[in-house]
Amino acid sequence: MRSTRGWAAVVVMAVAALSAGCSGSTSGPPAPGPASASAGATPAGLPTGITKLGPAVPVAAQGWTLAVAPFKEAGASSGEVPAGWAVLRTTATFTNTSDRITLLPDTALTVRYGPLGRQAVPVRDQTLPGLPAHDAATKVAPGASYTAEIGVAVPPQGLGQRVTVTAEATQEGMAEADDLFFEGTLPGSATSSSGSPDPTGTTPASPGPLLPFGAWSPAGLRISPITLGPDKDGKRTATADLTVTNGDPRPQPGLGITLRVMTGAGLTDAATVTPSLDYPDAPIAPSRSATVTVRFTLPSSAVPGPVTVEALDHGDRITFSGTLS
């Protein structure tokens, strides 16, 4: 059961913007990202397993349907919203199609936008209360529906981009969640002042023994340049975006990546990080990407100097390198 999960669970990894600081250099501009796979596409142009925002679809174990409405602008919010970000709203409508009173499925929602699958920040206030907590034990009569008002915030460059909503719904009496994926386009459009767009091309980086930060591995793995915080007590905080592409027609249960960070020509171990999406088994939609911001600490003595990150991906080892400055 997803008893410890809820709409608030997406907060921890939601903010994709890196903190200000110095970044690791790359050899040349970043290679374009992986394509949005067209294999197995439905007549609507979506990969198999992803439904257009709007229509109701059955939860796999039956007894319920779920519809996620297209997003709309929500205006100002009393909730916590990063400065300059837009607040958007949608509704999640659950309909009890059984012949008995049933508890609302325990559901976790994740909203990702753009080609890299960056996460939107959940917003909750009086008008956007989100999904009920698991212990609320919300009952729904046969044939009746329950609608939750959902709010999220995205940066200006996220407007007008693709949005993918993942719903993990665990029904009463079921041990495993059913994964449902919905997709559409966020309202509005990005402006020239919104910052650099995410790479959207179709050609991954050329394979080689070392990949520069910002390049794509042939399997669709990417680590952004590293951003450094200020020197404090001989240490510097560091952040980087890790992006994983699910090239399979089935949902991917999580990132499945461990990062080993090494500094200097001698490859001195500095940090080992195993990031997760919201919680360890959060799924990635078929033929889509997901991005999480990784945080770790480096010794100040390693700056300036080379840095190497080895990504262990289900047994494969992929090595990225750059320069801290």
Side-chain angles (χ1 to χ4, degrees):
M1 296 288 290
R2 298 300 195 264
S3 58
T4 60
R5 301 175 186 173
W7 182 243
V10 301
V11 177
V12 177
M13 294 294 183
V15 182
L18 295 176
S19 57
C22 302
S23 63
S25 66
T26 64
S27 37
S36 298
S38 59
T42 65
L46 296 176
T48 300
I50 302 180
T51 302
K52 180 176 66 174
L53 288 173
V57 297
V59 178
Q62 303 302 320
W64 289 92
T65 62
L66 172 60
V68 179
F71 285 80
K72 299 180 180 179
E73 295 183 6
S77 170
S78 59
E80 295 185 6
V81 179
W85 287 33
V87 180
L88 307 173
R89 68 186 303 147
T90 185
T91 58
T93 301
F94 298 83
T95 300
N96 181 3
T97 59
S98 73
D99 58 1
R100 62 186 178 89
I101 297 173
T102 308
L103 292 178
L104 190 72
D106 179 19
T107 304
L109 289 181
T110 302
V111 179
R112 300 189 180 113
Y113 64 90
L116 297 186
R118 300 185 184 277
Q119 282 190 240
V121 173
V123 175
R124 299 191 72 154
D125 58 26
Q126 292 182 344
T127 61
L128 300 169
L131 291 166
H134 170 72
D135 55 11
T138 304
K139 298 177 182 177
V140 181
S145 297
Y146 178 92
T147 298
E149 300 287 339
I150 308 296
V152 297
V154 300
Q157 61 266 32
L159 296 175
Q161 293 199 37
R162 181 176 70 204
V163 61
T164 305
V165 179
T166 300
E168 284 189 287
T170 306
Q171 300 181 69
E172 181 184 11
M174 302 297 291
E176 296 296 327
D178 295 320
D179 298 331
L180 298 93
F181 302 96
F182 303 85
E183 196 163 279
T185 303
L186 292 177
S189 59
T191 64
S192 57
S193 61
S194 298
S196 300
D198 290 326
T200 57
T202 60
T203 305
S206 299
L210 289 175
L211 293 173
F213 291 125
W216 291 94
S217 76
L221 179 69
R222 176 181 182 266
I223 300 176
S224 74
I226 294 174
T227 298
L228 295 174
D231 186 348
K232 184 177 180 181
D233 300 327
K235 298 180 180 179
R236 300 185 69 168
T237 59
T239 58
D241 279 356
L242 168 66
T243 302
V244 175
T245 299
N246 176 17
D248 197 281
R250 297 170 297 180
Q252 180 172 317
L255 289 173
I257 306 292
T258 296
L259 300 180
R260 182 185 176 196
V261 184
M262 295 161 281
T263 59
L267 301 178
T268 301
D269 286 330
T272 299
V273 187
T274 304
S276 63
L277 293 165
D278 310 339
Y279 35 84
D281 60 349
I284 303 174
S287 305
R288 294 294 180 252
S289 298
T291 294
V292 64
T293 298
V294 181
R295 294 173 172 82
F296 48 95
T297 302
L298 295 175
S300 299
S301 59
V303 184
V307 62
T308 303
V309 178
E310 182 182 62
L312 180 60
D313 180 10
H314 299 91
D316 294 330
R317 295 179 182 271
I318 306 165
T319 306
F320 296 82
S321 66
T323 302
L324 299 171
S325 58

